[in-house]
Amino acid sequence: MVQISVILPVYNGVSTITDTINSVLGQTFQEFELIVIDDGSTDDTVSVIETIKDDRLRIHQFENAGQGESRNRGAALAQGEYLSFIDADDLWTPDKLESQWQALQTHPQAAVAYSWTDHIDENNQFFRAGPHLTFSGDVYKKLIISDFVGSGSNVLIRKAAFDEVGGFAPHLTPAEDWDLWVRLAARYEFVVVPQVHILYRTLTTSSSFNLAKMEASSVQVMERIFAQAPPELQGLSQLCRGHRYKYLTYKALDLTPQRQRARAAFRFLALALWYDLSLWRRRVIWKVLLRATIAVVFPRTWVISLLKQQPKPFDIEALLFHIRFEV
């Protein structure tokens, strides 16, 4: 009997798809189906998937429509009472589904279970820890302030709740995860499983993260949030925008430094400081300014060498941890 439907959208994921699928098929919880949505891949992704023989695995091919639509397509095909999504380059620990399913059995009033996330590199090696927060129950206000869930590979959702709120909004990619969590939290409780179950892949040699697209979709999500939020939560707008621009600042300067992305970081930081005045008191802003400045002024190879030799003065991790959830 299928209890959980796992949805795996993939587009040209030949290099990681086998590891991702194996991390799903290796779950201790066995009553699931794995629905792979091929989003118009042009490489050998489908051929690779077809070499994996497991009765729980089904492949459906569509023309390219993006991740949000692919997730919705998978959900429409799902037979399970619960839905979980995993991106084609992420991994799960073996007890992910079992732990989250048990959490929802223990907390029948909750519609969403989430766990903690850590980051891995191209070689599946630990890269850095994610934020390990423990919010449960009514988390609507906290999710307005900031997306603490972290990624679409995290949650287990009751399918009835997913259907009721309308699923993912494909036009909001890549911020469609946050939009869905907020809409779910407006109606349902969440429950945390305080263990690392999601291994989010960070490509340490790449800067493919589309800053312009993420900023545009984030702005749209924030507009939707406050168009629907009750009057008593409208005052969170400044804080919400401040935190989002901190995140964008971090992403602009994370990993491989590039001159154009560093220039964007100056603008993002200015907006973060405008919206969140408390950030002026944080020493990390000087590290942000230093990291952005060297990326703009000096050759990239020199910057990479400097960051390897002297990482501490340029460490901007603290930018992500200065998030005030209590106001």
Side-chain angles (χ1 to χ4, degrees):
M1 179 180 176
V2 173
Q3 286 280 327
I4 299 173
S5 297
V6 179
I7 316 300
L8 197 171
V10 58
Y11 173 75
N12 289 353
V14 68
S15 63
T16 59
I17 191 65
T18 299
D19 285 347
T20 299
I21 288 177
N22 286 337
S23 81
V24 176
L25 297 179
Q27 291 293 300
T28 56
F29 187 96
Q30 293 291 301
E31 298 172 8
F32 70 86
E33 61 179 349
L34 173 55
I35 303 171
V36 176
I37 303 297
D38 176 61
D39 190 29
S41 293
T42 58
D43 64 2
D44 293 329
T45 293
V46 173
S47 298
V48 169
I49 297 171
E50 289 175 341
T51 66
I52 302 173
K53 304 303 180 183
D54 193 293
D55 291 341
R56 295 167 295 179
L57 171 62
R58 291 188 286 142
I59 309 170
H60 297 268
Q61 293 179 264
F62 295 90
E63 292 185 1
N64 182 264
Q67 183 166 265
E69 183 60 30
S70 293
R71 289 168 170 173
N72 288 341
R73 285 169 169 170
L77 295 165
Q79 301 176 26
E81 182 182 350
Y82 302 87
L83 300 176
S84 195
F85 302 87
I86 184 168
D87 292 346
D89 54 357
D90 295 340
L91 303 177
W92 285 344
T93 62
D95 58 339
K96 188 268 189 190
L97 289 180
E98 183 174 6
S99 298
Q100 293 184 342
W101 182 84
Q102 188 58 55
L104 289 178
Q105 308 315 299
T106 307
H107 299 82
Q109 75 282 6
V112 181
Y114 74 97
S115 303
W116 290 344
T117 299
D118 280 348
H119 296 246
I120 56 173
D121 63 16
E122 297 91 338
N123 301 311
N124 296 351
Q125 299 301 306
F126 174 83
F127 179 58
R128 64 185 174 212
H132 296 167
L133 301 172
T134 57
F135 303 135
S136 286
D138 180 3
V139 298
Y140 179 49
K141 179 178 176 180
K142 289 179 170 58
L143 274 170
I144 287 177
I145 292 173
S146 184
D147 177 11
F148 61 80
V149 174
S151 82
S153 296
N154 192 335
V155 297
L156 181 66
I157 310 172
R158 297 188 194 273
K159 188 175 186 296
F162 178 89
D163 291 340
E164 184 176 342
V165 301
F168 290 97
H171 69 287
L172 295 177
T173 299
E176 81 274 21
D177 298 347
W178 183 26
D179 171 73
L180 178 61
W181 312 154
V182 172
R183 286 187 283 117
L184 284 164
R187 301 189 184 197
Y188 302 101
E189 291 189 8
F190 281 43
V191 58
V192 64
V193 181
Q195 301 172 42
V196 173
H197 287 140
I198 296 83
L199 303 175
Y200 181 90
R201 192 180 303 277
T202 298
L203 301 178
T204 59
T205 59
S206 172
S207 293
S208 59
F209 185 85
N210 190 322
L211 289 172
K213 192 171 182 180
M214 176 55 85
E215 182 187 16
S217 62
S218 294
V219 169
Q220 285 183 282
V221 170
M222 289 185 288
E223 289 174 350
R224 280 165 61 98
I225 286 173
F226 292 102
Q228 300 167 9
E232 63 269 22
L233 297 182
Q234 292 296 322
L236 296 175
S237 177
Q238 290 279 112
L239 188 59
C240 167
R241 295 172 192 277
H243 288 326
R244 199 61 175 178
Y245 275 103
K246 287 180 204 174
Y247 169 74
L248 288 167
T249 303
Y250 179 86
K251 294 300 291 186
L253 295 174
D254 190 25
L255 306 176
T256 308
Q258 290 183 354
R259 184 169 285 121
Q260 183 176 356
R261 297 168 70 82
R263 290 194 181 102
F266 284 115
R267 183 172 65 84
F268 293 153
L269 179 62
L271 287 165
L273 290 164
W274 172 265
Y275 287 122
D276 184 2
L277 297 178
S278 71
L279 187 58
W280 287 96
R281 301 193 297 270
R282 306 296 184 181
R283 287 181 295 179
V284 69
I285 66 170
W286 301 111
K287 294 184 176 183
V288 171
L289 289 170
L290 183 60
R291 190 179 179 103
T293 299
I294 64 167
V296 168
V297 173
F298 296 105
R300 185 168 176 267
T301 53
W302 186 89
V303 173
I304 292 173
S305 176
L306 177 63
L307 294 179
K308 287 181 178 178
Q309 294 175 23
Q310 300 289 336
K312 192 171 182 180
F314 307 96
D315 182 1
I316 61 172
E317 289 290 313
L319 194 63
L320 295 182
F321 294 94
H322 290 308
I323 296 179
R324 294 180 290 124
F325 286 98
E326 300 300 330
V327 291

